[in-house]
Amino acid sequence: MSQQHSAADPAPTTTTLARRRDWWRDAVIYQVYPRSFADSNGDGMGDLAGVRSRLPYLRDLGVDAVWLSPFYASPQADAGYDVADYRAVDPMFGNLLDADALIRDAHELGLRIIVDLVPNHSSDQHEWFKRALAEGPGSPSRDRYHFRPGKGENGELPPNDWESIFGGPAWTRVADGEWYLHLFAPEQPDFNWEHPAVGDEFRSILRFWLDMGVDGFRIDVAHGLVKAEGLPDLGGADQLKLLGNDVMPFFDQDGVHEVYRQWRLVLDEYAGERIFVAEAWTPTVERTAHYVRPDELHQAFNFQYLSTEWDAAELRAVIDRTLEAMRPVGAPATWVLSNHDVTRHATRFANPPGLGTQIRLAGDRELGLRRARAATLLMLALPGSAYVYQGEELGLPDVVDLPDEVRQDPAYFRGAGQDGFRDGCRVPIPWTRDGSSYGFGSGGSWLPQPAGWGELSVEAQTGVAGSTLELSRSALAVRRAQPDRGAGDAVEWLRAPEGVLAFRRGEFVCVANTRGESVTVPAYGRVLLASGELTETDGEARVPADTTVWWTTG
């Protein structure tokens, strides 16, 4: 039978928070999507007071930091990623006093707070953009965005052939005939980072939130700020296929790195090891490494890992490439399986490979959960920092059968570009077995939760041996207690059957069986944790299909 052991360190305190250096190199960071986490006032929408009330749960789960998706003042055209005021909290989430209280409580509990920052674009309701529209062509205010005259006899055609990530042209024409650039929704005009006022403003925004006490920033579309000179056409190329696979005139331009060098100077003015995390979709992990050079950002999301199928050979290849790419710049690798923009991996792994990161099929849910549990242990065994998306610790699947009339993803309504099914991973998480929203709040939830959601809840899984929640808690406790938990930049691969990953890190050994059948491997020592039942006899271990095991040889 499987054996489970945990040896948790004492809960962190503000003293250990201040003392621990380089915390971000092996941190486990939990992403909270505020509108779907906890609702304090019963309006069906999660809020900062709700997040604050659940901080003890996150402390007890064993994470090191909490990343909050945007809660700024916004018309909510793209779930808060269209910011109207970067120094204000949207009333739907509370106010600045709520933000201050959340940050203070988190620090008292030994948790760090990372906030989202959206520097590529603003809302079309931002004061700068409203002023640019009002002042007209040729005004200085328009230079803070990308306004251009159109092509064609009467300027009736867009200035170039760029397409929006959400589908359709990346340009919208205004009443006076000029066009403005928006790589996402029309309500999200792109800033012109060649204009010095834009850089000045964002350095001021950084200081505002650093003075509030935040411990870092996750940078949305970190690869998109700088556009190629002259905004050249792509010449009819299939832009969707190029995304993340090639350098494009509006993504991953070399000029973006000077922006982050300036930002790093600001961050380094503050004590306490504050950090930057880049959302940077790049063609290769080698180019991702450019964002985390010593004088730029600290971490960058590993989208190559997130996009990898549950396959031993593919996983080993991306692990090796990631570690090799990060080593020369001295940055930690990051590992992530799910977030608010992609189908949860419990559903991705339940479906045939090749469907991408946005899927509208439930698949084999039992298979998906088994693989998700195994993938979690594999991820947490790797050197570097790991990210956990809210509900991942419960084994939540995507809600794939949402009625079309309740969907709110702007990409869904554009009819092209992204698949537009991100709502499925944003359904509010369940806290209790019963209630109008399974403990999310007293007034229902902004996206409907499926029947049976309560059986996956925190209440239903707490204290239940073998539940996904207790597996997650044990994994995080063991990771914290083991000296070889997340630090370092290398693994020692061990011989293993085809379809099996096996590696050693000091006295720690991890074996992940990605095959659909059990395999026999050496029993490497004392079992720390296993995602499924296994048997050990005569120095060998029988590892079931889609199962990961942790051993210690010490």
Side-chain angles (χ1 to χ4, degrees):
M1 299 294 291
S2 67
Q3 306 170 59
Q4 295 193 5
H5 304 267
S6 66
D9 286 345
T13 64
T14 50
T15 301
T16 57
L17 198 68
R19 186 173 62 235
R20 188 178 168 210
R21 294 193 56 79
D22 291 342
W23 65 271
W24 46 276
R25 289 191 172 274
D26 60 359
V28 177
I29 300 173
Y30 187 99
Q31 181 188 357
V32 165
Y33 194 65
R35 61 172 55 208
S36 298
F37 194 65
D39 171 19
S40 71
N41 60 9
D43 66 355
M45 186 69 65
D47 46 46
L48 294 184
V51 176
R52 182 186 175 198
S53 72
R54 297 294 187 179
L55 287 174
Y57 164 79
L58 298 177
R59 185 254 337 256
D60 295 343
L61 181 62
V63 300
D64 299 292
V66 179
W67 152 34
L68 298 168
S69 290
F71 51 80
Y72 309 111
S74 165
Q76 304 296 320
D78 184 22
Y81 283 93
D82 51 315
V83 181
D85 186 343
Y86 291 85
R87 297 177 181 84
V89 173
D90 194 280
M92 74 188 319
F93 297 122
N95 54 44
L96 282 174
L97 291 177
D98 293 313
D100 180 70
L102 191 160
I103 294 166
R104 290 175 183 273
D105 280 10
H107 288 169
E108 286 296 322
L109 293 169
L111 295 168
R112 300 174 191 267
I113 293 293
I114 295 169
V115 297
D116 229 312
L117 190 63
V118 188
N120 179 71
H121 48 264
S122 73
S123 165
D124 62 353
Q125 297 305 303
H126 191 286
E127 285 301 319
W128 279 14
F129 192 75
K130 291 195 291 186
R131 190 186 315 158
L133 290 181
E135 293 180 0
S139 65
S141 293
R142 290 212 169 178
D143 290 342
R144 295 175 178 178
Y145 295 89
H146 293 279
F147 279 89
R148 296 288 188 279
K151 293 181 178 179
E153 185 176 346
N154 298 303
E156 71 277 9
L157 299 175
N160 68 20
D161 64 0
W162 295 359
E163 296 176 5
S164 163
I165 307 304
F166 289 163
W171 296 88
T172 289
R173 198 176 193 188
V174 300
D176 55 44
E178 283 200 328
W179 298 73
Y180 69 87
L181 176 68
H182 53 85
L183 291 181
F184 294 88
E187 297 88 352
Q188 295 169 291
D190 279 45
F191 283 116
N192 174 18
W193 273 87
E194 301 297 325
H195 196 294
V198 177
D200 290 344
E201 171 68 355
F202 273 90
R203 288 190 292 274
S204 173
I205 292 166
L206 291 175
R207 288 191 172 93
F208 177 87
W209 288 103
L210 289 166
D211 290 340
M212 284 275 288
V214 303
D215 299 285
F217 301 87
R218 177 264 189 187
I219 306 167
D220 184 61
V221 195
H223 54 298
L225 278 56
V226 173
K227 278 65 173 177
E229 185 175 359
L231 310 183
D233 283 336
L234 270 163
D238 187 333
Q239 296 182 36
L240 287 179
K241 289 185 178 178
L242 291 178
L243 285 176
N245 296 309
D246 203 350
V247 178
M248 305 177 76
F250 48 77
F251 279 164
D252 199 27
Q253 293 291 305
D254 289 340
V256 77
H257 298 288
E258 182 55 33
V259 173
Y260 298 133
R261 292 186 188 101
Q262 294 299 315
W263 285 19
R264 183 61 179 266
L265 295 175
V266 173
L267 203 70
D268 288 347
E269 296 172 8
Y270 290 79
E273 289 197 291
R274 321 291 180 98
I275 69 165
F276 287 123
V277 183
E279 181 204 31
W281 287 89
T282 67
T284 65
V285 289
E286 289 78 14
R287 285 198 68 86
T288 300
H290 293 169
Y291 290 79
V292 289
R293 288 175 286 203
D295 60 345
E296 294 188 44
L297 310 180
H298 297 77
Q299 294 183 352
F301 289 138
N302 190 341
F303 292 114
Q304 285 79 11
Y305 187 77
L306 183 151
S307 302
T308 302
E309 306 287 353
W310 182 241
D311 176 89
E314 293 183 21
L315 286 164
R316 176 167 174 170
V318 75
I319 290 167
D320 280 341
R321 287 193 64 188
T322 298
L323 295 174
E324 289 169 6
M326 296 299 146
R327 201 171 291 122
V329 294
T334 65
W335 314 102
V336 60
L337 292 166
S338 289
N339 64 33
H340 65 291
D341 280 333
V342 300
T343 299
R344 289 181 177 274
H345 59 282
T347 295
R348 289 204 316 275
F349 293 158
N351 282 279
L355 295 182
T357 57
Q358 292 194 14
I359 299 170
R360 208 178 184 183
L361 300 169
D364 183 337
R365 289 185 174 175
E366 183 178 339
L367 173 65
L369 177 59
R370 190 166 68 244
R371 289 176 169 177
R373 288 161 57 92
T376 293
L377 288 196
L378 173 61
M379 176 181 76
L380 292 175
L382 293 169
S385 180
Y387 282 78
V388 176
Y389 178 49
Q390 64 179 46
E392 188 175 323
E393 76 279 12
L394 304 175
L396 293 187
D398 249 47
V399 180
V400 299
D401 54 357
L402 288 171
D404 291 349
E405 59 269 20
V406 306
R407 292 186 174 276
Q408 299 192 31
D409 184 351
Y412 179 79
F413 300 101
R414 298 276 283 180
Q418 294 185 17
D419 294 330
F421 300 135
R422 297 179 297 175
D423 292 315
C425 66
R426 299 175 178 182
V427 173
I429 67 174
W431 293 94
T432 59
R433 278 193 173 94
D434 303 306
S436 67
S437 60
Y438 304 105
F440 169 67
S442 60
S445 63
W446 67 282
L447 283 173
Q449 299 157 302
W453 208 229
E455 292 308 307
L456 296 173
S457 67
V458 173
E459 179 185 45
Q461 296 193 45
T462 294
V464 177
S467 72
T468 303
L469 175 57
E470 293 301 341
L471 176 71
S472 299
R473 286 172 170 161
S474 295
L476 292 171
V478 171
R479 178 183 166 104
R480 186 184 303 119
Q482 291 297 308
D484 300 309
R485 47 185 179 173
D489 61 4
V491 299
E492 176 192 349
W493 293 108
L494 304 174
R495 291 176 60 87
E498 184 178 357
V500 176
L501 290 172
F503 60 84
R504 183 190 304 275
R505 301 182 59 225
E507 295 182 344
F508 175 81
V509 174
C510 176
V511 172
N513 177 16
T514 70
R515 292 164 58 159
E517 59 189 12
S518 61
V519 297
T520 299
V521 300
Y524 286 99
R526 177 170 58 90
V527 174
L528 292 168
L529 205 56
S531 66
E533 297 292 330
L534 72 149
T535 55
E536 293 184 282
T537 55
D538 299 326
E540 292 186 330
R542 192 73 176 166
V543 180
D546 301 309
T547 297
T548 297
V549 187
W550 290 359
W551 279 279
T552 180
T553 61

